Amino acid sequence: FVEKARAALLEARSQIIGYAAGRKSFYSSLQPLEMDESAPPVVRDMLMAGIAASVGPMAAVAGAGAQFVGEALLGLSDEVIVENGGDVYVCTQTPRTMCVMAESAEAGYVHIRPHMDGYTSYGVCTSSGRLGPSLSLGNADSVTVLAERTAVATRLCNLVRHSKDVSKVLEHSRSTPVKGVVIIMKDYFGARGALEIVA
């Protein structure tokens, strides 16, 4: 479904660029922007994610893009997985095992298996203060979250500055919409919620 996926991606990009042209703070804000019900679909998802996570809308661009493309493909296949820079939209009939990269992990990665029973689709999003080009205000090797919608992990990653923050951020995540969290910070590892760690 290459052409359908490409068309959906270009449409998402067009919606974001078109909207941002009239709202200059859309690209640069590190704080949530007010919801705009007249915004195009992918932009509304970014605004909602920013509000839910207390971050700017661009923190949600990878997840919102993955979800937009994934939903466009649902009419063509019963199983769809779209990965976009660490943010993954998943709609499958069978459980999936995913690999989270983390330089400080003994093997360089950790395998997780989400248990999002009752959801037809969900998002798995990873943010890092050490890997990749995206802006992060934290120092975690990786913070991965599971959510009903393809959400952002940026806010939780921003809160992990030191190893002692891992347990605090895991507890804080209980007051957010996320269903599961995995945090890797140097020699510290923490997880909670709807997932299992796979050997």
Side-chain angles (χ1 to χ4, degrees):
F1 310 120
V2 173
E3 288 306 315
K4 180 73 172 179
R6 182 175 185 274
L9 180 59
L10 291 175
E11 174 61 24
R13 187 174 187 272
S14 175
Q15 288 183 17
I16 294 167
I17 291 172
Y19 184 81
R23 194 171 186 181
K24 297 188 185 303
S25 58
F26 188 80
Y27 285 142
S28 60
S29 178
L30 299 181
Q31 302 298 321
L33 296 181
E34 183 179 342
M35 187 60 193
D36 181 357
E37 295 296 342
S38 67
V42 71
V43 172
R44 286 200 306 272
D45 273 354
M46 292 170 66
L47 291 169
M48 282 191 295
I51 292 167
S54 298
V55 292
M58 284 302 290
V61 68
Q67 182 165 319
F68 188 87
V69 173
E71 290 178 345
L73 298 178
L74 286 179
L76 303 174
S77 175
D78 291 336
E79 299 204 338
V80 175
I81 299 174
V82 177
E83 189 276 339
N84 183 17
D87 289 12
V88 188
Y89 170 83
V90 182
C91 182
T92 66
Q93 306 298 314
T94 54
R96 299 292 175 172
T97 300
M98 300 185 180
C99 180
V100 179
M101 290 180 59
E103 288 184 335
S104 64
E106 184 176 346
Y109 52 83
V110 173
H111 288 109
I112 64 170
R113 183 173 296 136
H115 291 290
M116 295 292 282
D117 300 330
Y119 295 98
T120 55
S121 64
Y122 59 92
V124 181
C125 303
T126 300
S127 184
S128 174
R130 302 161 83 76
L131 294 173
S134 299
L135 174 65
S136 175
L137 304 179
N139 296 316
D141 290 283
S142 69
V143 175
T144 299
V145 302
L146 312 181
E148 179 181 358
R149 303 281 289 174
T150 304
V152 294
T154 302
R155 174 61 177 163
L156 295 181
C157 191
N158 286 346
L159 297 175
V160 182
R161 306 285 178 85
H162 308 283
S163 299
K164 64 182 180 182
D165 295 329
V166 172
S167 59
K168 295 177 187 176
V169 173
L170 283 175
E171 188 59 33
H172 170 71
S173 72
R174 296 179 187 277
S175 63
T176 71
V178 304
K179 306 299 183 186
V181 184
V182 174
I183 301 175
I184 302 172
M185 172 67 175
K186 296 185 178 177
D187 295 333
Y188 288 78
F189 175 88
R192 75 149 198 92
L195 57 91
E196 67 177 295
I197 307 303
V198 182

